[in-house]
Amino acid sequence: GAVVSQHPSRVICKSGTSVKIECRSLDFQATTMFWYRQFPKQSLMLMATSNEGSKATYEQGVEKDKFLINHASLTLSTLTVTSAHPEDSSFYICSAFLPGNTIYFGEGSWLTVV
Amino acid sequence: TQLLEQSPQFLSIQEGENLTVYCNSSSVFSSLQWYRQEPGEGPVLLVTVVTGGEVKKLKRLTFQFGDARKDSSLHITAAQPGDTGLYLCAGRAGQAGTALIFGKGTTLSVSS
């Protein structure tokens, strides 16, 4: 079964609104989670590293005020896309390390901004 | 910034043919992983290589890590339509717990 769960799997929002995507670690604590974005037929691009209890670390070119990351507990990280635009439409995937350093990915969340 | 150059980007072959996908970098990686991803799903780990020169086999798939740990290859023997998908190499240059950096991916299409 899944060890990292994302919700929602698909979401459609209107341009200018905000949408939140959740990433949960199931049955284990994840002090660090990673958020990736993937456009159709392209690879995964690391957006940011989410750290429990502290600020996220963003990759170069990723707007931290637009992609808000909150890692308030050891099992939950959230990514909020603020003032979404059609160009933000993408597949967003989170990942987390299990004890023993194995990395697992969530199922992904399709965001469509109309 | 560590970069992983993956090639070819697209590959379309007939069933039964062999193929090789390459992943190269100027950086040394502590480990390198290969994933396969279906549309709309998260990537699924195929293999992790950690030792320079290491070769791992998974049925018809052979993975090799370069001696200098800067490159890797994935070889598929006698490809089948079920092998169709996006193949991604990913490396971790830093210490344990650092993020994976992905190559651009190889979209493989195997027709019968």
Side-chain angles (χ1 to χ4, degrees):
Chain A
V3 294
V4 177
S5 178
Q6 271 184 251
H7 177 80
S9 58
R10 289 182 178 272
V11 58
I12 300 174
C13 71
K14 292 184 177 181
S15 185
T17 63
S18 297
V19 61
K20 180 186 291 185
I21 301 171
E22 295 183 347
C23 179
R24 294 183 183 274
S25 58
L26 306 179
D27 300 324
F28 73 98
Q29 295 179 337
T31 56
T32 304
M33 293 183 176
F34 304 98
W35 286 96
Y36 293 85
R37 178 170 54 184
Q38 184 177 31
F39 293 108
K41 299 191 177 183
Q42 294 187 24
S43 186
L44 282 73
M45 295 298 296
L46 179 66
M47 297 177 67
T49 301
S50 174
N51 304 297
E52 188 271 333
S54 64
K55 292 182 179 181
T57 305
Y58 290 83
E59 294 300 301
Q60 189 174 9
V62 178
E63 300 174 60
K64 62 180 180 181
D65 294 329
K66 180 171 182 60
F67 298 99
L68 300 179
I69 292 174
N70 187 307
H71 196 152
S73 80
L74 287 170
T75 59
L76 174 64
S77 174
T78 61
L79 168 67
T80 302
V81 183
T82 63
S83 187
H85 291 283
E87 56 264 32
D88 297 325
S89 298
S90 185
F91 192 50
Y92 292 87
I93 308 177
C94 69
S95 69
F97 286 99
L98 268 70
N101 214 31
T102 302
I103 190 167
Y104 278 87
F105 288 85
E107 308 96 328
S109 300
W110 280 106
L111 169 63
T112 302
V113 184
V114 297
Chain B
T1 303
Q2 297 85 16
L3 293 177
L4 276 170
E5 299 291 336
Q6 193 173 336
S7 63
Q9 189 173 355
F10 298 98
L11 194 54
S12 182
I13 61 173
Q14 294 289 318
E15 181 177 6
E17 292 185 30
N18 302 330
L19 67 113
T20 303
V21 179
Y22 300 93
C23 188
N24 298 288
S25 176
S26 58
S27 301
V28 175
F29 287 88
S30 57
S31 65
L32 199 142
Q33 299 181 322
W34 285 92
Y35 290 83
R36 178 180 163 186
Q37 186 182 22
E38 299 291 338
E41 298 179 8
V44 176
L45 179 65
L46 296 174
V47 77
T48 299
V49 286
V50 296
T51 305
E54 183 176 6
V55 177
K56 284 190 173 180
K57 292 192 175 184
L58 182 64
K59 297 183 180 178
R60 293 177 293 102
L61 278 61
T62 302
F63 305 86
Q64 187 164 3
F65 201 13
D67 291 340
R69 290 185 288 134
K70 292 183 178 181
D71 57 272
S72 181
S73 63
L74 157 61
H75 183 81
I76 301 179
T77 304
Q80 298 176 2
D83 295 328
T84 294
L86 176 65
Y87 290 83
L88 299 158
C89 65
R92 184 182 303 166
Q95 59 187 1
T98 55
L100 286 176
I101 303 301
F102 284 83
K104 289 187 180 295
T106 296
T107 299
L108 172 64
S109 175
V110 183
S111 53
S112 56

